[in-house]
Amino acid sequence: MTAILHCGDEERGRIWADVFARDMPEVDFRCWPDIGDAADVRYLVAWTMTPELIAALPALEVLFSIGAGVDQLDLSLLPPHVRVVRMIEPGITTTMAQYVAMACLALHRDLPFFHAEQRAGRWSYRPVRLCSERSVGFLGLGELARASLAALAPLGFRLHGWSRSGATIPGVQCHAGAGQLDTFLAQCDILVCLLPLTDDTRGILCRDLFAKLPRGASLVNVARGGHLVQDDLIAALDEGQLSAAMLDVTSPEPLPEGHPFYTHPAIFLTPHIAGVTRRETAVHALMDNVRVVMAGARPDGEIDRDRGY
Ligand code: NDP
């Protein structure tokens, strides 16, 4: 019998095993370390993996990531034929779109400034601008950026996006590739990073990039901490090139005690809660994908292992 092995949070494993037993009894859902006969285990669902785990699964064909990204996985541990699929499910997409809308509105309405003024005991004004007077630009135009753009569109922001291959999204001015990055950046009052973390994108949020944004622009990083050069952000905020940053991701997580991000007046931190995998919806997304793979088709969210996303 074909088996899928779950590795990670025990409670989630138990809940998902019950759902599979009820809705897909033709697949045996097992929870690490109870592998059973390893020759049956064709699928693995996990957040991370160890060399010992992969060595114990000689029949492995597909690794399903619990998360929307795969950068936490050392893909070099996997034999080349093993396919890798990231999690695309409505829980992550909906919560991410809501977070990005919240962050853009907070920055647009100068919440960091008013918060700092309140802390200082001052009753200060700033002129209120319409959303239509402000541009929001997305680095990355994938699943999560598109959902976030759809959440922002009714508010009236001018919307821009940049990706490797380009995209056509109604109401969004899209730019493609390194050659159009500077033009894109020059138009972003609020820059949202939703890139995957790869060798090409690590450290992209750096001094050079900040210098190409309009003076006083702000940043939302909801992708990965590794995209950001931390000292460059602090310098850009202190010099006034950037006015504020909302960071849901950092490197490392959690940040160590005493890290300057905790107390910087222009930085708002959240503990990697922007887009959250919901057990209830994710198990059905996983099951749908297992059915697709068993039918010999391409699962939703399969990554290109050479490209890294
Ligand atoms: P997708 O894979 O759907 O989209 C990635 C986008 O980035 C694509 O538009 C792609 O371009 C673009 N891209 C990749 N590399 C480059 C590059 N070198 N230059 C320009 N563009 C590039 O990803 P998702 O939208 O689903 O997710 C994005 C990231 O969000 C995840 O990888 C993860 O790290 C993060 N995330 C964070 C969460 C949180 O709670 N903070 C929760 C979930 C995810 P192209 O279209 O041309 O391929």
Side-chain angles (χ1 to χ4, degrees), residues 136-219:
V136 181
F138 283 74
L139 289 168
L141 285 171
E143 193 74 21
L144 298 179
R146 285 167 190 258
S148 304
L149 282 159
L152 289 176
L155 298 172
F157 287 112
R158 299 190 299 253
L159 299 173
H160 297 263
W162 177 79
S163 64
R164 183 202 295 265
S165 58
T168 304
I169 306 173
V172 181
Q173 197 176 333
C174 295
H175 310 257
Q180 293 182 16
L181 180 58
D182 292 5
T183 314
F184 160 75
L185 292 171
Q187 301 176 69
C188 300
D189 299 316
I190 300 173
L191 181 70
V192 181
C193 181
L194 262 169
L195 289 165
L197 185 62
T198 65
D199 290 344
D200 290 337
T201 65
R202 191 178 308 278
I204 189 170
L205 302 174
C206 65
R207 175 180 289 269
D208 280 359
L209 179 142
F210 298 148
K212 291 169 182 163
L213 293 167
R215 187 159 179 83
S218 49
L219 172 71

Side-chain angles (χ1 to χ4, degrees), residues 283-303:
V283 67
H284 294 290
L286 171 66
M287 199 178 285
D288 289 347
N289 255 348
V290 171
R291 286 201 176 95
V292 167
V293 169
M294 290 176 82
R298 190 172 198 276
D300 198 16
E302 179 166 5
I303 66 140

Side-chain angles (χ1 to χ4, degrees), residues 33-256:
D34 300 325
I35 296 186
D37 183 351
D40 300 337
V41 181
R42 291 166 54 196
Y43 311 128
L44 171 66
V45 54
W47 169 249
T48 55
M49 59 197 179
T50 60
E52 295 72 33
L53 173 65
I54 299 307
L57 303 175
L60 185 64
E61 292 173 16
V62 185
L63 166 63
F64 293 97
S65 169
I66 300 271
V70 296
D71 53 283
Q72 78 284 1
L73 295 160
D74 179 358
L75 298 182
S76 70
L77 294 176
L78 294 174
H81 69 272
V82 175
R83 300 159 74 184
V84 179
V85 181
R86 67 200 185 87
M87 180 64 77
I88 297 181
E89 65 92 20
I92 301 178
T93 313
T94 306
T95 49
M96 177 61 80
Q98 291 170 350
Y99 184 100
V100 171
M102 177 274 296
C104 290
L105 277 174
L107 293 167
H108 167 62
R109 295 303 300 262
D110 290 320
L111 197 63
F113 168 78
F114 290 117
H115 191 247
E117 292 300 283
Q118 175 194 337
R119 291 276 166 262
R122 286 192 292 263
W123 186 268
S124 304
Y125 285 97
R126 259 192 186 180
V128 172
R129 290 165 64 181
L130 296 175
C131 291
S132 56
E133 297 171 69
R134 194 97 68 174
S135 296
V136 181
F138 283 74
L139 289 168
L141 285 171
E143 193 74 21
L144 298 179
R146 285 167 190 258
S148 304
L149 282 159
L152 289 176
L155 298 172
F157 287 112
R158 299 190 299 253
L159 299 173
H160 297 263
W162 177 79
S163 64
R164 183 202 295 265
S165 58
T168 304
I169 306 173
V172 181
Q173 197 176 333
C174 295
H175 310 257
Q180 293 182 16
L181 180 58
D182 292 5
T183 314
F184 160 75
L185 292 171
Q187 301 176 69
C188 300
D189 299 316
I190 300 173
L191 181 70
V192 181
C193 181
L194 262 169
L195 289 165
L197 185 62
T198 65
D199 290 344
D200 290 337
T201 65
R202 191 178 308 278
I204 189 170
L205 302 174
C206 65
R207 175 180 289 269
D208 280 359
L209 179 142
F210 298 148
K212 291 169 182 163
L213 293 167
R215 187 159 179 83
S218 49
L219 172 71
V220 179
N221 188 15
V222 276
R224 288 289 182 260
H227 288 118
L228 177 67
V229 180
Q230 297 187 353
D231 290 346
D232 288 4
L233 174 64
I234 290 183
L237 289 168
D238 292 348
E239 289 158 9
Q241 174 56 20
L242 293 187
S243 59
M246 296 197 71
L247 308 176
D248 181 57
V249 287
T250 58
S251 180
E253 290 177 1
L255 285 174

